[in-house]
Amino acid sequence: MTVELIENENENQSDKIDIKKEIFEWIKVVVLAFSFAFIITRFVTPSLVKGTSMYPTFNENDYLIVNKVAYKSHLPEYGDIILFNSNFRDERVLIKRVIAKENDTIQIKDSKVYVNGKEIKEDYIYEDIFWGEIDAVVPEGKVFVMGDNRNNSADSRVEDIGFIDKEDIIGKVEFRLFPFNKIGSQWKD
């Protein structure tokens, strides 16, 4: 009888140890998952394309990954596609391509875009003829952006949007996750 009691106590202790191990493993998984999610959301953000202003580069409902730390130390480069906050129509988040940077002279005339007096090559635009006439210098700490579907894009040509301040830039579009047949970053040169 004493042997049976000792065996039952050992089994109970073993069960308690197994339960503690199981609980500890679950806690580790949950803490790791939250830590991973926190780290990821600090550096990247998912974004869903709404509208056709970036067609043919992006279509409506393309799912993108945006690098939120890409411009912490510098402004975007020419051709970068950025996400930014705007005051346009209820403070929308917009996606556009960087055409000119601070201190650049931007001129749009006869559906041609000139940066610092040189016409830029734009193989990515949807239509060769588009609206807008501009002749300006991009202010310090700002960029000039345009959509790839120029005739269907509210961008820096629109007074309510204008030049984009570095503080309003959310990040750089780095990767397309959906649709699956276009996954990756094929739009880059």
Side-chain angles (χ1 to χ4, degrees):
M1 191 143 155
T2 310
V3 172
E4 283 180 30
L5 284 175
I6 292 173
E7 286 178 7
N8 284 341
E9 280 181 27
N10 285 342
E11 284 179 20
N12 285 341
Q13 286 178 350
S14 177
D15 287 346
K16 287 179 184 177
I17 291 171
D18 287 344
I19 290 171
K20 285 181 183 179
K21 280 184 180 178
E22 185 72 23
I23 290 171
F24 182 71
E25 289 300 316
W26 275 102
I27 289 171
K28 278 190 344 188
V29 167
V30 169
V31 168
L32 283 172
F34 277 112
S35 299
F36 184 68
F38 176 76
I39 289 169
I40 292 295
T41 58
R42 298 295 287 169
F43 297 108
V44 298
T45 188
S47 183
L48 188 65
V49 175
K50 291 292 179 193
T52 59
S53 72
M54 285 302 292
Y55 180 82
T57 305
F58 297 119
N59 293 303
E60 185 149 7
N61 296 322
D62 279 4
Y63 195 73
L64 309 173
I65 296 297
V66 177
N67 178 348
K68 291 168 55 174
V69 295
Y71 305 122
K72 292 298 180 193
S73 62
H74 61 85
L75 283 169
E77 297 298 321
Y78 300 107
D80 284 359
I81 298 173
I82 64 171
L83 216 63
F84 61 93
N85 294 309
S86 77
N87 292 323
F88 186 69
R89 294 188 185 159
D90 302 324
E91 299 182 16
R92 284 191 190 174
V93 172
L94 298 176
I95 179 173
K96 304 292 176 205
R97 186 180 300 270
V98 174
I99 303 300
K101 303 188 296 186
E102 62 185 9
N103 302 316
D104 284 341
T105 300
I106 178 77
Q107 185 179 36
I108 301 173
K109 184 178 177 184
D110 300 326
S111 297
K112 304 278 187 227
V113 179
Y114 302 88
V115 175
N116 299 323
K118 295 182 181 179
E119 183 180 350
I120 61 172
K121 183 179 175 185
E122 297 185 291
D123 297 336
Y124 45 79
I125 65 172
Y126 181 56
E127 296 173 310
D128 292 331
I129 298 174
F130 52 89
W131 61 271
E133 300 281 323
I134 300 279
D135 193 354
V137 175
V138 181
E140 194 80 28
K142 298 184 185 254
V143 294
F144 184 91
V145 298
M146 295 175 78
D148 293 354
N149 186 358
R150 301 282 162 83
N151 288 316
N152 192 23
S153 177
D155 49 41
S156 289
R157 297 172 292 170
V158 176
E159 188 176 329
D160 289 346
I161 296 174
F163 299 107
I164 308 306
D165 192 278
K166 181 181 185 215
E167 301 303 316
D168 292 327
I169 298 172
I170 296 167
K172 177 181 181 181
V173 175
E174 293 282 4
F175 197 79
R176 178 182 7 227
L177 284 178
F178 184 82
F180 296 123
N181 65 334
K182 293 183 178 180
I183 200 165
S185 59
Q186 300 92 332
W187 71 88
K188 295 182 181 182
D189 294 335

